[in-house]
Amino acid sequence: MSKKIRIAIQKSGRLNEDSLQILKDCGIHIDNGRDQLKASAGNFPLEVFYLRNGDIPQYLRDGVVDIAIIGENVLVEKGEDISIAQKLGFSKCKVSLAIPKGKNYNTVQDLEGKRIATSYPNTVKQYLEKHGVNAELHIITGSVEIAPNIGLADAICDIVSSGSTLFKNNLKEVEVMLTSEAVLAVSPGIDTARKEILDKLLFRIQSILKGRDYKYVLLNAPNEKVADIIALLPGMKSPTVLPLAEKGWSSIHSVVGKNRFWEVINELKENGAEGILVCPIEKMVN
């Protein structure tokens, strides 16, 4: 029987949804029954294991799974020995220190001798050691935000996405210890056959991620403005220029990076571009 690569993803929540979506975007269809802990792909040599996020690093280490889509913050806390094959650009968050709103704060040195409640003791310990701060850590597996309100801690360390949970618990963020996103992590024991499957999967993922970073732009321009507009649209190599039925006009096709998109669009308009059409790019293959 041919081998399948075994991928772990979070059992539920936003990371689960985004992980399944990127596999779907890769053209991989998961035969996923309700409440299954394991499922197979119908058109790619892949098995999905639905696991608790915090357990995934050990499953990777033990070779129970070959790869995983997991939060980078979890690897910092529990799997620094596990390599990352690809950052995935979704499920972004911060791991931060927060204190009650009414407390004064200037630098991390203000936490000297304080009590910090957290589910990320290794991350906090490394950060405090780096800054020469000694503090007492209280390890909590559930919600840590309530700890200062009940007198258990002076500060907390937790994941921060929108900041709404901190606000609801009368807390303020004072230190960002690290930023995190979903990553594709690889077991140190992955074998050659499964590594070949991983390379095929990575090719698909990277094509999708690159496509997300660009927009496809089509526009019309008078021929005397084409040179100026091409200078604004380097594209992958150079823009495509096609003559229009209307004499003296051309259609220009190119791609624009999303980070400069609105700036470029304004420059195009200022240089005579008309009828600008912008399309998403599903995949970009090199």
Side-chain angles (χ1 to χ4, degrees):
M1 185 178 69
S2 60
K3 282 191 174 181
K4 295 184 177 183
I5 196 166
R6 301 161 297 181
I7 183 171
I9 67 172
Q10 187 172 293
K11 287 174 66 174
S12 60
R14 181 65 183 273
L15 184 53
N16 168 277
E17 295 169 7
D18 289 340
S19 300
L20 291 174
Q21 184 61 52
I22 198 166
L23 292 177
K24 182 178 180 181
D25 292 343
C26 286
I28 298 172
H29 304 296
I30 308 299
D31 299 326
N32 190 28
R34 185 176 179 84
D35 297 326
Q36 281 184 306
L37 297 179
K38 187 172 79 168
S40 294
N43 60 344
F44 193 83
L46 177 141
E47 284 184 314
V48 178
F49 289 69
Y50 299 100
L51 304 172
R52 287 181 63 252
N53 212 29
D55 294 337
I56 290 176
Q58 192 60 48
Y59 280 106
L60 285 166
R61 200 175 284 117
D62 292 342
V64 175
V65 294
D66 307 298
I67 56 176
I69 297 177
I70 188 172
E72 191 175 4
N73 59 293
V74 180
L75 292 184
V76 171
E77 179 65 26
K78 294 185 174 183
E80 285 193 316
D81 57 321
I82 296 169
S83 63
I84 294 172
Q86 180 67 51
K87 293 191 175 186
L88 300 174
F90 56 80
S91 295
K92 293 185 177 182
C93 66
K94 301 174 286 185
V95 180
S96 301
L97 289 164
I99 64 172
K101 285 182 181 178
K103 300 292 184 181
N104 293 325
Y105 186 90
N106 296 304
T107 71
V108 69
Q109 305 300 324
D110 292 342
L111 297 176
E112 178 70 31
K114 302 296 186 182
R115 301 164 299 164
I116 303 174
T118 185
S119 302
Y120 298 91
N122 293 331
T123 303
V124 178
K125 184 178 178 182
Q126 291 171 20
Y127 187 82
L128 295 180
E129 286 178 350
K130 177 182 174 183
H131 291 85
V133 174
N134 293 303
E136 180 183 344
L137 300 187
H138 288 264
I139 302 173
I140 299 177
T141 56
S143 299
V144 300
E145 294 85 1
I146 195 173
N149 293 328
I150 61 175
L152 182 63
D154 304 295
I156 68 161
C157 162
D158 202 12
I159 289 177
V160 176
S161 295
S162 65
S164 61
T165 302
L166 294 182
F167 179 80
K168 290 174 184 175
N169 286 276
N170 202 36
L171 300 172
K172 61 181 179 181
E173 182 182 60
V174 293
E175 294 282 340
V176 177
M177 295 189 295
L178 63 93
T179 57
S180 174
E181 64 185 88
V183 299
L184 186 68
V186 183
S187 167
I190 189 170
D191 60 35
T192 303
R194 291 187 172 105
K195 177 65 167 59
E196 291 176 359
I197 301 172
L198 171 60
D199 290 341
K200 293 177 182 178
L201 179 61
L202 273 173
F203 174 75
R204 297 190 187 192
I205 289 174
Q206 289 164 357
S207 297
I208 290 161
L209 296 178
K210 192 158 191 179
R212 291 177 181 176
D213 285 338
Y214 290 88
K215 300 287 186 181
Y216 190 72
V217 177
L218 304 87
L219 59 90
N220 299 329
N223 288 344
E224 65 269 19
K225 295 287 188 178
V226 168
D228 293 335
I229 288 173
I230 285 177
L232 300 172
L233 289 171
M236 300 306 294
K237 287 189 177 178
S238 65
T240 299
V241 181
L242 301 170
L244 290 179
E246 183 177 346
K247 189 175 180 180
W249 283 76
S250 294
S251 174
I252 302 174
H253 300 208
S254 189
V255 295
V256 176
K258 68 177 184 180
N259 291 334
R260 290 194 65 235
F261 175 75
W262 288 111
E263 176 186 343
V264 171
I265 292 297
N266 287 333
E267 291 174 348
L268 292 173
K269 290 178 64 179
E270 290 169 2
N271 282 272
E274 296 182 10
I276 301 172
L277 178 64
V278 181
C279 305
I281 298 175
E282 186 175 307
K283 299 173 183 68
M284 186 178 289
V285 181
N286 285 335

